[in-house]
Amino acid sequence: MQNELIRSVQVVQQGGLILYPTDTVWGIGCDASNEAAVAKIFKLKQREDSKALICLVADERMLKKYIKKIPEAAYDIIAISEEPITIIYDEPQHLAKNLIAPDNTIAIRIPNDDFCFQLLRRFNGAIVSTSANISGAPTPKSFKEIDRDIIKGVDYVVNLHRNKISTKPSSIIKLGNDGSVKIIRS
């Protein structure tokens, strides 16, 4: 795993794209603060850049770097959730402008996966995590279901967990600074 971490961090630091296993599905990732790298993901996925992407952070400390005001409910949700959960927050900061949704929100997950945790720690920043599919196509449940164009379009493919089968992506909840809570995907 060490070699995979070293190579992945190098690629992300250089503005490249990685294809990597997460705690949910295989993801396409890049430095979440690099606008050019984020633009490459939109182009590869053939997706409009008005559709927001999810990013991953290692822990609550890293989350505080990217969100101006974290609602108290977020800490409770993170602490009690047994399944992967992505939270949409208001007022993101220090992220690529083309990663932030038109309503000034960002979707962030703290993954429960050793490779992702180590990757985020070593990179010391948020990394984009969007499903490894062309926009509109089904989310691949395993590495072998990933479209060849996606595999060819990234700069590095992580050689771990190639046989893992994923059952579903994370749940998504939107927490507004005004106290509002909305379930987007369960």
Side-chain angles (χ1 to χ4, degrees):
M1 182 164 83
Q2 293 305 317
N3 289 338
E4 295 303 315
L5 286 166
I6 291 166
R7 185 68 186 118
S8 297
V9 169
Q10 287 172 337
V11 169
V12 171
Q13 287 173 333
Q14 295 166 356
L17 305 184
I18 60 171
L19 180 61
Y20 68 116
T22 73
D23 56 333
T24 58
V25 298
W26 274 80
I28 303 169
C30 71
D31 176 352
S33 67
N34 183 326
E35 283 191 51
V38 172
K40 287 186 213 175
I41 288 182
F42 283 120
K43 184 176 180 188
L44 177 60
K45 286 185 62 91
Q46 300 169 27
R47 184 172 175 169
E48 298 171 39
D49 63 5
S50 62
K51 293 194 174 186
L53 302 174
I54 292 172
C55 49
L56 303 179
V57 296
D59 51 32
E60 291 175 9
R61 179 191 60 79
M62 193 179 285
L63 178 63
K64 290 175 183 174
K65 176 180 175 182
Y66 298 106
I67 303 301
K68 284 183 187 172
K69 182 182 175 218
I70 300 170
E72 282 302 314
Y75 295 110
D76 295 334
I77 291 168
I78 292 166
I80 64 169
S81 181
E82 294 179 12
E83 298 293 321
I85 189 150
T86 300
I87 300 175
I88 300 174
Y89 298 93
D90 290 336
E91 298 185 79
Q93 58 187 2
H94 310 299
L95 294 166
K97 287 180 177 40
N98 55 345
L99 185 59
I100 298 168
D103 64 352
N104 196 32
T105 60
I106 189 71
I108 298 180
R109 184 169 78 253
I110 299 173
N112 184 13
D113 175 86
D114 189 48
F115 175 77
C116 288
F117 178 76
Q118 296 296 330
L119 174 64
L120 293 158
R121 278 284 187 196
R122 287 178 184 224
F123 177 63
N124 196 27
I127 293 180
V128 170
S129 180
T130 183
S131 57
N133 61 311
I134 303 294
S135 190
T139 300
K141 293 184 177 11
S142 67
F143 181 79
K144 66 183 177 193
E145 291 182 12
I146 298 172
D147 188 293
R148 301 299 318 133
D149 289 339
I150 295 288
I151 293 170
K152 289 180 197 168
V154 299
D155 300 295
Y156 186 67
V157 179
V158 174
N159 190 20
L160 293 172
H161 310 300
R162 298 267 177 109
N163 296 320
K164 176 183 164 191
I165 306 290
S166 300
T167 53
K168 65 176 192 166
S170 67
S171 297
I172 302 176
I173 296 176
K174 184 174 184 179
L175 297 179
N177 285 347
D178 60 0
S180 62
V181 177
K182 183 177 180 184
I183 296 172
I184 306 295
R185 179 172 72 197
S186 59

